[in-house]
Amino acid sequence: MKSLQLALAAILSVGICQSALAAEEPILQSGDNLVDRMHDSIAASQKVIILGNDNSTPKTEAFNDSVKYMVERFYYDQFRHFQDPEAPYFLFLSRDAQLAMGIGGAVRMRGYFDWGGAIPAAGFSPYLIPMSPDPTQMRKFGTTPAGTCLFFRVLGRNKSLGDYSLYIEANFNGYQGRDFHLKKAYATINDFTVGYASSTFSDPAAVPATVDAAGPNNKLSSTSVLIRWMPRVKDHWVFAVSAETPSTAVSADNVDTKKVDEWVPDGAAFVQYEWGRTSHVRLAGIVRSLSYRNLETAKNHYLTGWGLQLSAVGHPCAPLTLYGTFNYGKGYAGLQGDLLAGAYDLVGSPDTPGQLYAPRSYGWCLGVQYNILTNLFVSAAMSQARFLPSRAVSPDEYRYGLFADINIFWNLTPRIQVAAEFDLGKRKNFSGESRWARRIGALCQFSF
């Protein structure tokens, strides 16, 4: 519990200190830190093509402001993660600057090398560390194009509707990292979002940069079809509430217990204080309906799961960025990093056949990034995910996992990025048995 308390105190201090230092800073002010300057340099590399423009009409200040507003909206996203694609190189703009369209993507190649017992996956997950590694699988060199993506986005302003946008993104991350899968598809009209989007319970912007696709092992990164209302109140406060399509992970054996189809949407919400494009503190929560059937008594049971997450990201000084997340709850493990690999929303009771219950779990992550230059930074992070059952479990059951990484990212140009990383992970079981894993990874990415 001491590590949990220290992690929570660190996250709170990041948020409180940052908000106190920057309480009067206006939203969307750029150039105050090197992360925002890096985004500005990428935005400046865009080619804006004005449809139907004959270059004979002089551009007014209002027109130029509209162009700048449209470009900024490609980056100002509450749910943008570092690994998400950059704004497209080509931006098509209507003659009155009220409608913008961008088609972009990234070609992303990763290579990695494991030793001392290879993890059987391209993503570095402590849960998957082999406790008794096969002597033929002690070392592994692998490559993957997973994360290569294409996206399409339309942004507009209408007198009746206000601001609206459409977004579709697909990734090559399916079978062997080569199948084309839909990642996001949603529409936003003013404060409302409808479609397949990041859960309101997640905070991708507060997750530190990693070369590894899996990232910190407490990461909440679920995506579902949802309806979200997210209004801004005054300058610094953002609120959100959503109804989301559930996807539960139930440990039913179909002998004594059986999973019941989901029939109640998850309810998620957050409250956030922000003081810039990339600085905020957020408290998020989720409530879930978890159902199963006891085949011994021929009865359905309906339990409630819930989770809370406190997260923060901020810049104490221009080159420094701090990240922190802490989540806790019961019956929400199917949304959380390492525990996604198992069925931990509902688990069995060994002493009572036919009965399932919602166990508790928690996770935390602390990260730091230092920009040596606008286009060159080093980053380090450490995270933990922990399973907290209240009843007896098998000795070889996962108890907790630790993940740590240190990396360096370099943007050779605003559109070409290379990076290298060292990952260290540990899995510990309830028996007390533990094992470490190590990985060196590299990344080369081209955005367009």
Side-chain angles (χ1 to χ4, degrees):
M1 289 297 292
K2 186 176 181 180
S3 62
L4 186 154
Q5 293 169 350
L6 290 173
L8 182 57
I11 295 166
L12 286 169
S13 64
V14 169
I16 294 172
C17 293
Q18 284 292 300
S19 59
L21 290 171
E24 302 303 321
E25 182 180 344
I27 298 297
L28 293 179
Q29 178 179 334
S30 62
D32 57 322
N33 62 75
L34 295 188
V35 171
D36 285 349
R37 293 179 201 175
M38 180 173 63
H39 290 166
D40 291 341
S41 68
I42 296 171
S45 72
Q46 285 180 322
K47 175 66 175 178
V48 179
I49 301 173
I50 302 172
L51 301 177
N53 179 35
D54 58 7
N55 294 319
S56 61
T57 305
K59 305 301 183 293
T60 64
E61 183 176 349
F63 178 88
N64 292 330
D65 288 343
S66 293
V67 173
K68 182 179 179 181
Y69 175 77
M70 287 294 185
V71 172
E72 284 180 340
R73 284 181 63 193
F74 271 97
Y75 280 104
Y76 188 66
D77 182 351
Q78 293 288 352
F79 298 94
R80 174 177 169 75
H81 183 258
F82 176 82
Q83 293 180 356
D84 287 343
E86 305 290 356
Y89 180 75
F90 290 103
L91 178 65
F92 299 92
L93 201 65
S94 64
R95 193 170 186 176
D96 60 359
Q98 297 301 299
L99 183 68
M101 180 183 71
I103 301 174
V107 176
R108 182 178 291 150
M109 298 293 163
R110 292 186 177 94
Y112 59 92
F113 176 72
D114 293 358
W115 70 97
I119 290 180
F124 190 86
S125 172
Y127 183 95
L128 300 177
I129 294 175
M131 302 305 289
S132 300
D134 187 327
T136 66
Q137 299 175 343
M138 296 301 291
R139 294 179 293 274
K140 179 178 176 61
F141 170 73
T143 59
T144 175
T148 296
C149 62
L150 293 171
F151 75 89
F152 175 86
R153 189 170 190 184
V154 172
L155 300 171
R157 306 174 77 177
N158 182 275
K159 290 183 180 179
S160 300
L161 296 177
D163 291 342
Y164 64 90
S165 70
L166 304 172
Y167 186 77
I168 298 174
E169 181 185 344
N171 279 27
F172 291 91
N173 61 356
Y175 176 68
Q176 295 184 342
R178 293 171 174 82
D179 285 358
F180 200 44
H181 281 198
L182 182 68
K183 185 178 181 181
K184 295 179 183 179
Y186 61 86
T188 300
I189 302 177
N190 290 327
D191 298 332
F192 289 91
T193 298
V194 180
Y196 189 54
S198 297
S199 171
T200 303
F201 186 47
S202 66
D203 189 0
V207 177
T210 59
V211 168
D212 181 74
N217 66 332
N218 79 315
K219 183 174 68 174
L220 300 173
S221 57
S222 60
T223 305
S224 64
V225 176
L226 54 79
I227 300 176
R228 176 165 52 226
W229 180 52
M230 190 172 68
R232 176 180 297 280
V233 179
K234 297 185 177 180
D235 291 333
H236 300 283
W237 292 95
V238 180
F239 298 86
V241 61
S242 65
E244 307 182 0
T245 303
S247 179
T248 57
V250 177
S251 181
D253 58 13
N254 293 324
V255 176
D256 297 317
T257 57
K258 187 174 183 179
K259 180 180 177 180
V260 173
D261 286 344
E262 295 96 351
W263 58 284
V264 178
D266 290 348
F270 76 67
V271 56
Q272 173 174 298
Y273 180 82
E274 64 183 26
W275 56 95
R277 287 184 296 177
T278 53
S279 302
H280 69 252
V281 180
R282 177 184 295 184
L283 178 62
I286 193 169
V287 177
R288 318 180 73 202
S289 176
L290 306 170
S291 308
Y292 75 97
R293 184 171 181 81
N294 186 328
L295 299 179
E296 298 285 331
T297 61
K299 290 183 179 180
N300 289 352
H301 295 268
Y302 307 98
L303 306 179
T304 299
W306 57 270
L308 294 173
Q309 175 164 276
L310 177 64
S311 55
V313 55
H315 313 280
C317 57
L320 188 65
T321 304
L322 301 180
Y323 301 89
T325 60
F326 171 78
N327 44 65
Y328 176 81
K330 71 173 186 176
Y332 84 108
L335 307 173
Q336 178 193 4
D338 251 10
L339 299 178
L340 278 168
Y344 292 110
D345 287 342
L346 291 179
V347 299
S349 300
D351 299 331
T352 313
Q355 185 180 87
L356 300 179
Y357 74 101
R360 296 176 185 266
S361 59
Y362 75 78
W364 57 265
C365 175
L366 296 175
V368 59
Q369 174 178 316
Y370 186 85
N371 278 69
I372 302 169
L373 301 170
T374 301
N375 64 335
L376 176 66
F377 69 82
V378 292
S379 172
M382 186 169 184
S383 60
Q384 182 185 57
R386 196 175 190 111
F387 179 44
L388 301 171
S390 60
R391 302 173 193 180
V393 296
S394 172
D396 62 356
E397 181 62 82
Y398 171 97
R399 184 176 185 181
Y400 71 81
L402 289 172
F403 171 83
D405 73 273
I406 184 168
N407 55 52
I408 182 168
F409 284 80
W410 182 23
N411 286 358
L412 301 172
T413 75
R415 299 286 168 174
I416 301 176
Q417 182 181 82
V418 294
E421 180 172 275
F422 171 70
D423 298 320
L424 181 66
K426 177 186 178 182
R427 171 175 171 150
K428 185 170 184 177
N429 292 342
F430 278 91
S431 65
E433 182 184 14
S434 64
R435 191 169 184 89
W436 293 86
R438 293 156 291 276
R439 171 174 291 184
I440 293 175
L443 166 76
C444 185
Q445 175 177 299
F446 303 83
S447 300
F448 60 91

